[in-house]
Amino acid sequence: QVQLVESGGGAVQAGGSLTLSCAPSGSINSINTMGWYRQAPGMQRELVATITRAGVTNYGDSVKGRFTISRDNAKTTMYLQMNSLKPEDSAVYYCNAEIRRLYFSNYRDYWGQGTQVTVSS
């Protein structure tokens, strides 16, 4: 069984900062691209940022220059440093990872349970 455990969400005032973490656990052979997505009430899930195993990053337009994604390949943990938070950043943030459980198996997507981020004005 593979799980992605997120932590670090919470409530903060506009202009503040939060750091999210995502730690995969279980039987894992390899992890490819990892990413953060978010979903606000009544809205579709949207890309926040992704990072490849080589460290190549991609950001959604609304968070460029304010959020930084990183990962510790040795521990497979991923982070999202969120600065200059705005009320419109309020959403449930989901961790995603492409994981291969066995050497000869295919990569498949796994999702975390989500962590709430609330930014007040």
Side-chain angles (χ1 to χ4, degrees), residues 47-101:
L47 166 72
V48 177
T50 60
I51 183 167
T52 69
R53 189 164 47 191
V56 177
T57 59
N58 180 51
Y59 294 92
D61 288 341
S62 62
V63 306
K64 284 180 181 177
R66 300 187 298 122
F67 291 10
T68 302
I69 189 171
S70 61
R71 65 189 281 182
D72 179 345
N73 279 329
K75 297 181 179 179
T76 71
T77 300
M78 176 179 63
Y79 306 93
L80 183 69
Q81 175 66 44
M82 305 185 292
N83 297 327
S84 302
L85 282 162
K86 305 175 181 180
E88 51 263 44
D89 293 318
S90 297
V92 177
Y93 284 69
Y94 296 92
C95 168
N96 170 265
E98 298 174 350
I99 292 174
R100 183 177 67 189
R101 296 191 63 190

Side-chain angles (χ1 to χ4, degrees), residues 25-48:
S25 65
S27 176
I28 297 171
N29 172 264
S30 176
I31 302 176
N32 201 4
T33 298
M34 303 180 76
W36 290 97
Y37 293 77
R38 67 186 183 187
Q39 187 168 20
M43 305 292 286
Q44 289 189 334
R45 190 172 296 191
E46 66 172 354
L47 166 72
V48 177

Side-chain angles (χ1 to χ4, degrees), residues 8-19 82-87 89-90 116-121:
V12 66
Q13 288 192 329
S17 299
L18 283 173
T19 300
M82 305 185 292
N83 297 327
S84 302
L85 282 162
K86 305 175 181 180
D89 293 318
S90 297
Q116 178 70 48
V117 171
T118 303
V119 184
S120 58
S121 57

